[in-house]
Amino acid sequence: KKGDSGIPSCAQLSRQVDAQGKRKRFAEVLKGVCSILAIPRIIKELMSSERNRLSLTQSLCGTQVLISLLPDEDMQKMVHYFQGIFSQFRSKFYSLPRITTEEQRVHESCILFLLDKLLADDVEKKPGLLTNAQPITSLISTMDNNTEDVKAENAPGKKASSGNVDTSLLHWRNRLLTGWFLINSVDEHYLYHEDPKIASRVWTTCFHLIENETGQPLQRVALGLFGRLVVLSLAQEGSFYLSHGMRKYCGVDQRQNSSQKDQEVSDSALQMYGEKKADVSILREQLADASFCRSLVMALVFDHKEDSSIGGGHHPQWSAGIEEILRDATSNLAPRTLFPFQRISRSSNVFKVQHSQLVQATLLIIGKESAQASITHLLDIAKELASSPPSEDQRNQQCTSAEIFGGVCRAILQYNSDFPELISAWNDILLPFLDDVIPKIPISLTGAFFDAFRYGIHHFPPSTFHSLTNWLIEKIEKTLWQHEGQKQGADNMVTEKSSPEPSESIKKGETSLSSASGSNDGFATQSKWLLIASAILIELDAEADLGAAVQFPWYTHALHPMEAKQKKNEENQVLFPVEELNQSWNIINNRLLPCLLKALGHPYEKCREHIAGCLFRICYCHRKCVNTSKALLKSQINGSLSSKEDRRSTNQDPGSIIIDKLCSIGSAREYSFEEQHHALITARKFIVYCIHLGDSKHEYSEFVIPLLPISFESVNVTMGDSSEGEVSAANRVLEAEVVKGFRYSLADVSSSCVITYGLDNDMTKVLKVVDKMLSNTSWQVRQAATHFLRCFQGGHKFLFSPEQTEIVTTTVAKLLSDERREVSSAAMAALTGILAATPPYSVNELVKAYVTIANKSKIKRKKKKDPTKVAKSPPAGNIISQKERERARQQQTSVFFLCAAILANPYDTPSYVPEALAAISKHSFEKSAPLAVRETVKMCCGEFKRTHMSDNWEVHRKQFSQEQLEALEDVVSTPHYYA
């Protein structure tokens, strides 16, 4: 054909070669055509009808021959040009309603074309679905009709260098494009249509690609297609609340009153097939086959990101547009979910909750009887993956094992609603799997099983996983390290050879004695059980919300509109399972809590961290459980809650037990040095959990404030350089770690926790604790308390009452004369912040009082006396008189206070600043003040010079008299020879 509208004919140009045997002109024209097609307005027109979409789909999926005709240097350029067209199409893609029968027929032709393309081998085939009426995309697709002519010209003897190019590297890209179009073209019509031929072909194609494209990008696209088919099939099921989200995800509107069985497509594009069910017999047959289950699981393995820690840490470098295709395929695996939608987010960045959702949905749509065989196959494969040998895919394989368990666990809990069935499912299927898998997984991937446990039991009543709770506590009781072992003679548990942290064998999880059972179990395994226990406690916390286990999550209704709003009537007012929750908490309080309290001094850091997390969860969840059960029972039983039930829900407060135990660590004599400091580390981690994961109104008041005294006392260094006896280096390191950790925790408490919840009594409690610590004999404790008070006052300066502000100011001023330079400097820094927020008139009065004291407290020059009348001097070792001590204390206090008043005004010069500068300048000489006072004065005057004596010095200078300026110059001016 000849060109139309001034555009040359690509078909003719494909036969023309230049002197070098290349189709340069053909390549330039093809670039222009692609540039035209990539215009957003053109793409918008192409998407307006099914026929245009079909032509564009055929053109983009059949570019293999076109690229093979181009010169070598233009091949990669044309790939980017075609990618530009696809990117515009992808960004503007939307579902087009098929109103007429012709539109439905064209759409079916597109589906069949895509299926043929995916199942074809590398041999290029002619697309036979084009019609005469084609849009501008026919300029590209026409080339496929001339394939034979072009190949004839490229036969041996013809000079065409680009005809012999190997195009196998580009063929996989076309198949990916075809898979993307198929994913976005298949909808619920083909799954619920009376004629199952197309649906059967789609399922078969999906199975074929998953089985035969192992590890290839096309397998990930096929997995996305599989997920979309499963989601569409499950959209009509109403067995669990996630199906409502799937309806919204798939755009399926269930019509309860639809009585017409045979509907024509031309009736309405909005008319769905709510009365019909998808035929999943093909899927049921495939999942019964162990080989297909293995292929599906391996597809899940390769759907993870590459392990960047293997092979030099290089990230995958995809060709242009491939990453977007894979991302779109992954988004079709399962509906979007807000799991876990709690303050505790997912623990692993490798775990993909979409995989667990896909496994769960797949098992739900095939029915309970068929799912039993599939569950057996999936768990057997998951066991193999958990024990996979070291390789670049080991991490992904073990993570997939956790994802399979999460989906299978949730599906089983939904299938088995009767209590005996649940117990049988746990004891016969799930718990044996965990017994085999958990010891095999590395400690680095425990977070994946943490997320899997949470997903498996998320928003289920506590009775459904009561067997899991009981089984896990038994594991902890048998394996967890216990403090009683040392008293019973197990002295080899923590010996002198062991450092504050576990030895190399301990870190590898090889040896650890448990006094509770006397059996060997690695500390790494104990860490796993504790982490899983925290996952169960977190989900029990979710059940403590008002009826969360028997109602839809509160966010489901907002994100996924249901057919009718939940009505507050008798049908929806299901009694909250208080008895079930109390049963779980009784086990935790009576069995788990004592084990955790005896293991506070655990020698393994990870175990101490998990023990602290479990203790916090017990305190946090129990409080919510008690408050919720009281409120709900009283409201639903019309206030007829018996006193017996009330006492049953509140008879034990684990929070008070835990706090009493933690507060007694410092004075407990049954601990050895190592165990005591390990227990202190556990207490510090408990405080950190309370600060960052607790509620300010409860955790700060009930747990953090009572633990402040032991936090301050723990910063005291008892092993100084002058310690009697020989002290091991390991003990020194351990004590330094404890001191450093509690300093960070105190800083966190003072700056992060603000008492804004209306309980002023808590503010008074904190000030009393700090005031007591300021009189401690250890200077490290006094310094820590001073820094704490500085930050605490800064966060509450607008909440303090005038009386509290005066108390804080007086308390800090007393520390200005502390004998330790570290404490007095910290007190001056704290006083600077206090005075900065104090009204100027109050500071002015204080400055005048301290100026008087400073003038009277200088070192007085001794008068010369008659040598004949002078008595013998006292011995050199005589103690300084009490009067001299009082003078030195007043001098240091007054000078430091005046320095703090000056430093509190870095940008202006109130009237009292020149007076204070003149007073402290008299204490800058050796004959009038000791070294510490002189250095502080010089530092203060130098800082004043830096902040004031620059651009605006003429403005500040007006506040000074000539005498005050001379006093300031005596300190800040540089001495020279001619002075």
Side-chain angles (χ1 to χ4, degrees):
K1 297 180 181 179
K2 295 184 178 180
D4 189 16
S5 301
I7 300 178
S9 172
C10 294
Q12 291 182 353
L13 293 176
S14 63
R15 301 184 182 93
Q16 298 179 6
V17 295
D18 56 11
Q20 298 178 354
K22 298 182 179 180
R23 301 178 180 85
K24 280 287 187 180
R25 190 180 177 192
F26 170 65
E28 296 299 326
V29 173
L30 200 57
K31 293 176 185 178
V33 173
C34 292
S35 300
I36 294 175
L37 289 177
I39 298 175
R41 183 178 300 177
I42 301 298
I43 294 294
K44 183 178 179 180
E45 292 294 330
L46 292 177
M47 297 182 68
S48 60
S49 66
E50 290 291 342
R51 189 172 298 280
N52 291 343
R53 292 190 179 198
L54 172 61
S55 299
L56 183 61
T57 300
Q58 292 174 335
S59 301
L60 291 178
C61 295
T63 58
Q64 181 74 14
V65 177
L66 276 179
I67 295 177
S68 66
L69 298 176
L70 299 176
D72 297 343
E73 59 271 16
D74 290 326
M75 283 187 175
Q76 293 299 326
K77 295 180 182 179
M78 284 309 306
V79 171
H80 287 281
Y81 274 99
F82 289 133
Q83 173 59 29
I85 301 175
F86 172 73
S87 298
Q88 289 291 335
F89 182 83
R90 174 181 172 271
S91 62
K92 299 182 181 301
F93 181 81
Y94 60 90
S95 298
L96 188 65
R98 299 185 293 278
I99 307 299
T100 64
T101 307
E102 177 63 20
E103 290 179 345
Q104 181 60 35
R105 187 189 66 81
V106 175
H107 192 270
E108 291 179 0
S109 300
C110 181
I111 297 292
L112 294 173
F113 165 77
L114 295 172
L115 293 174
D116 291 338
K117 271 286 184 181
L118 284 176
L119 293 178
D121 295 330
D122 291 339
V123 180
E124 296 294 334
K125 294 185 177 182
K126 294 184 180 180
L129 298 176
L130 292 177
T131 58
N132 294 328
Q134 292 182 348
I136 193 172
T137 54
S138 61
L139 293 173
I140 298 178
S141 59
T142 304
M143 294 306 306
D144 291 334
N145 295 327
N146 296 278
T147 303
E148 297 298 334
D149 298 334
V150 173
K151 288 183 178 180
E153 292 192 4
N154 291 329
K158 297 285 184 179
K159 186 179 180 180
S161 59
S162 60
N164 299 324
V165 177
D166 184 12
T167 60
S168 60
L169 296 177
L170 301 176
H171 183 68
W172 63 271
R173 184 186 184 91
N174 287 351
R175 300 188 72 187
L176 283 181
L177 281 175
T178 306
W180 185 92
F181 280 110
L182 183 60
I183 291 176
N184 291 274
S185 299
V186 172
D187 54 18
E188 62 278 354
H189 168 80
Y190 299 99
L191 298 178
Y192 299 99
H193 198 271
E194 292 181 355
D195 186 6
K197 293 182 179 179
I198 296 182
S200 177
R201 286 199 59 185
V202 174
W203 280 109
T204 305
T205 303
C206 180
F207 300 150
H208 174 78
L209 296 177
I210 290 177
E211 291 177 329
N212 296 295
E213 299 291 338
T214 304
Q216 301 299 321
L218 186 58
Q219 187 186 47
R220 299 178 65 175
V221 175
L223 189 64
L225 176 61
F226 179 80
R228 182 171 180 83
L229 295 175
V230 171
V231 168
L232 291 173
S233 301
L234 192 62
Q236 301 296 325
E237 302 291 335
S239 58
F240 68 120
Y241 74 87
L242 281 181
S243 62
H244 295 279
M246 293 177 181
R247 290 194 191 100
K248 181 63 178 178
Y249 172 81
C250 303
V252 179
D253 184 16
Q254 202 172 23
R255 303 300 179 93
Q256 299 292 339
N257 299 325
S258 176
S259 59
Q260 297 181 356
K261 297 294 183 179
D262 299 328
Q263 302 177 9
E264 295 183 359
V265 181
S266 59
D267 289 344
S268 174
L270 298 176
Q271 190 74 17
M272 298 299 176
Y273 303 91
E275 294 292 335
K276 303 175 182 178
K277 290 187 177 181
D279 184 10
V280 293
S281 58
I282 303 177
L283 177 62
R284 190 176 292 113
E285 294 176 0
Q286 288 290 329
L287 290 178
D289 184 7
S291 62
F292 175 77
C293 291
R294 183 175 299 276
S295 300
L296 179 62
V297 170
M298 295 309 298
L300 295 177
V301 171
F302 292 115
D303 192 48
H304 290 88
K305 293 182 179 179
E306 288 76 2
D307 189 355
S308 58
S309 63
I310 303 298
H314 297 291
H315 295 284
Q317 298 179 355
W318 294 109
S319 178
I322 302 304
E323 190 172 0
E324 288 77 8
I325 295 176
L326 298 180
R327 187 186 303 117
D328 293 344
T330 303
S331 64
N332 283 274
L333 287 176
R336 293 183 180 180
T337 178
L338 295 179
F339 171 82
F341 207 90
Q342 287 184 350
R343 193 171 298 179
I344 304 296
S345 60
R346 301 178 195 173
S347 177
S348 173
N349 59 354
V350 185
F351 181 85
K352 297 184 73 170
V353 70
Q354 296 96 330
H355 291 175
S356 294
Q357 288 180 275
L358 179 62
V359 173
Q360 173 200 1
T362 304
L363 295 175
L364 289 177
I365 64 175
I366 63 176
K368 183 176 180 180
E369 296 181 358
S370 301
Q372 293 178 356
S374 302
I375 288 173
T376 303
H377 297 325
L378 292 174
L379 292 182
D380 290 341
I381 299 171
K383 289 180 182 178
E384 298 177 9
L385 295 180
S387 57
S388 58
S391 65
E392 60 181 358
D393 297 323
Q394 182 187 35
R395 185 199 66 175
N396 295 338
Q397 291 171 348
Q398 294 172 338
C399 184
T400 304
S401 175
E403 294 163 356
I404 293 174
F405 169 76
V408 170
C409 176
R410 192 164 186 85
I412 288 178
L413 295 185
Q414 288 178 322
Y415 270 134
N416 302 281
S417 57
D418 296 335
F419 190 68
E421 294 180 352
L422 283 172
I423 295 178
S424 177
W426 280 110
N427 295 334
D428 299 339
I429 301 176
L430 296 176
L431 295 183
F433 171 81
L434 295 176
D435 283 326
D436 188 15
V437 168
I438 296 298
K440 296 179 181 178
I441 61 172
I443 193 68
S444 59
L445 282 178
T446 313
F449 274 87
F450 175 87
D451 296 333
F453 273 96
R454 292 189 60 190
Y455 179 78
I457 63 178
H458 188 57
H459 280 164
F460 275 104
S463 61
T464 58
F465 53 91
H466 183 74
S467 300
L468 174 64
T469 306
N470 194 20
W471 169 82
L472 184 59
I473 293 178
E474 289 180 358
K475 291 290 185 180
I476 294 176
E477 289 175 338
K478 293 179 180 179
T479 61
L480 186 61
W481 178 93
Q482 298 288 285
H483 166 67
E484 293 178 353
Q486 188 173 4
K487 296 176 65 177
Q488 295 174 359
D491 296 330
N492 57 347
M493 190 177 304
V494 181
T495 61
E496 294 181 357
K497 295 181 180 180
S498 64
S499 62
E501 286 303 312
S503 61
E504 293 300 325
S505 61
I506 291 178
K507 288 182 179 179
K508 294 179 182 179
E510 295 176 358
T511 59
S512 171
L513 294 179
S514 175
S515 62
S517 62
S519 62
N520 277 339
D521 206 339
F523 286 159
T525 305
Q526 298 178 28
S527 176
K528 297 174 187 177
W529 300 131
L530 291 171
L531 183 61
I532 296 172
S534 64
I536 295 178
L537 291 173
I538 291 172
E539 292 307 316
L540 284 176
D541 176 26
E543 299 310 316
D545 295 329
L546 291 174
V550 293
Q551 296 179 1
F552 295 120
W554 65 268
Y555 56 83
T556 304
H557 182 266
L559 297 178
H560 307 300
M562 302 177 186
E563 299 169 8
K565 295 183 178 180
Q566 291 182 346
K567 299 180 181 179
K568 295 182 179 180
N569 50 23
E570 296 180 357
E571 296 179 358
N572 289 332
Q573 291 294 328
V574 184
L575 262 180
F576 179 69
V578 177
E579 293 296 332
E580 299 177 1
L581 195 56
N582 286 338
Q583 184 181 9
S584 298
W585 277 112
N586 288 335
I587 297 177
I588 292 172
N589 291 334
N590 298 331
R591 297 173 57 187
L592 178 61
L593 182 58
C595 288
L596 297 178
L597 293 179
K598 292 178 182 179
L600 290 177
H602 201 289
Y604 192 50
E605 182 180 3
K606 275 293 183 181
C607 291
R608 295 195 297 267
E609 182 178 349
H610 296 327
I611 289 171
C614 290
L615 292 177
F616 165 75
R617 273 294 145 196
I618 291 174
C619 296
Y620 184 80
C621 303
H622 185 269
R623 173 179 54 79
K624 291 179 62 177
C625 174
V626 170
N627 296 338
T628 300
S629 59
K630 283 183 179 179
L632 193 61
L633 284 175
K634 288 181 180 179
S635 62
Q636 292 188 349
I637 313 179
N638 298 323
S640 61
L641 181 65
S642 63
S643 58
K644 182 178 179 180
E645 291 175 341
D646 194 3
R647 289 194 304 270
R648 185 185 306 171
S649 60
T650 58
N651 57 355
Q652 281 187 332
D653 183 10
S656 61
I657 300 175
I658 293 172
I659 295 302
D660 293 342
K661 183 65 175 179
L662 295 179
C663 290
S664 64
I665 293 175
S667 59
R669 296 183 179 180
E670 67 270 16
Y671 288 117
S672 64
F673 179 86
E674 291 85 355
E675 288 185 4
Q676 184 180 30
H677 283 72
H678 287 157
L680 288 174
I681 294 176
T682 306
R684 183 187 66 82
K685 292 181 180 294
F686 177 81
I687 295 175
V688 173
Y689 278 109
C690 292
I691 295 172
H692 294 282
L693 299 179
D695 297 330
S696 178
K697 182 177 181 180
H698 298 282
E699 272 65 32
Y700 186 57
S701 177
E702 299 174 10
F703 306 139
V704 176
I705 295 178
L707 292 175
L708 281 179
I710 191 175
S711 300
F712 283 114
E713 293 171 357
S714 299
V715 301
N716 181 27
V717 179
T718 59
M719 292 185 177
D721 296 334
S722 60
S723 300
E724 297 182 359
E726 184 179 356
V727 180
S728 65
N731 290 342
R732 289 182 181 273
V733 172
L734 179 58
E735 186 181 47
E737 180 185 355
V738 172
V739 171
K740 180 180 178 181
F742 273 101
R743 286 187 180 275
Y744 278 115
S745 297
L746 288 173
D748 212 0
V749 173
S750 61
S751 58
S752 301
C753 301
V754 182
I755 305 176
T756 57
Y757 44 83
L759 296 180
D760 295 337
N761 189 32
D762 287 348
M763 209 175 298
T764 305
K765 290 180 182 179
V766 175
L767 293 178
K768 288 182 178 179
V769 172
V770 175
D771 183 64
K772 182 179 179 181
M773 293 298 110
L774 290 175
S775 59
N776 195 284
T777 57
S778 172
W779 70 267
Q780 291 99 338
V781 177
R782 297 198 303 272
Q783 183 193 31
T786 306
H787 284 303
F788 179 90
L789 190 59
R790 175 187 180 185
C791 298
F792 185 78
Q793 186 275 339
H796 296 81
K797 57 187 175 183
F798 299 112
L799 300 175
F800 276 174
S801 63
E803 293 78 11
Q804 291 172 334
T805 303
E806 183 178 357
I807 293 174
V808 172
T809 305
T810 306
T811 304
V812 175
K814 292 179 180 179
L815 293 175
L816 294 175
S817 60
D818 195 275
E819 59 184 5
R820 295 290 302 194
R821 180 71 177 274
E822 296 88 347
V823 180
S824 59
S825 299
M828 191 178 73
L831 187 60
T832 301
I834 295 174
L835 294 179
T838 305
Y841 63 87
S842 300
V843 180
N844 189 18
E845 295 178 357
L846 293 173
V847 167
K848 289 181 179 180
Y850 280 100
V851 165
T852 304
I853 298 174
N855 293 332
K856 294 180 180 180
S857 61
K858 293 188 299 180
I859 298 177
K860 296 182 179 179
R861 185 179 303 175
K862 295 182 179 180
K863 296 180 179 180
K864 294 183 180 181
K865 297 182 179 180
D866 189 357
T868 59
K869 298 181 180 180
V870 176
K872 291 184 178 181
S873 60
N878 191 18
I879 303 175
I880 303 175
S881 64
Q882 184 66 26
K883 185 176 180 180
E884 179 62 20
R885 287 176 177 270
E886 181 64 21
R887 185 208 60 78
R889 186 189 65 81
Q890 290 184 354
Q891 183 185 31
Q892 183 169 333
T893 301
S894 58
V895 172
F896 279 26
F897 186 95
L898 295 176
C899 291
I902 296 170
L903 296 176
N905 298 274
Y907 304 111
D908 55 353
T909 308
S911 59
Y912 56 81
V913 170
E915 186 178 357
L917 285 170
I920 66 174
S921 65
K922 301 176 183 179
H923 298 264
S924 63
F925 306 104
E926 182 178 358
K927 61 183 179 181
S928 60
L931 178 62
V933 175
R934 296 199 308 270
E935 289 183 351
T936 303
V937 171
K938 292 179 181 179
M939 181 274 298
C940 178
C941 294
E943 186 67 17
F944 179 84
K945 178 182 179 180
R946 186 185 68 84
T947 57
H948 291 78
M949 301 176 68
S950 55
D951 297 337
N952 297 326
W953 172 236
E954 294 299 328
V955 178
H956 299 301
R957 187 172 184 173
K958 297 178 181 179
Q959 302 292 333
F960 290 81
S961 64
Q962 185 62 32
E963 183 180 356
Q964 293 169 346
L965 285 175
E966 292 177 357
L968 177 62
E969 288 293 333
D970 290 341
V971 182
V972 300
S973 61
T974 304
H976 51 84
Y977 178 79
Y978 296 101

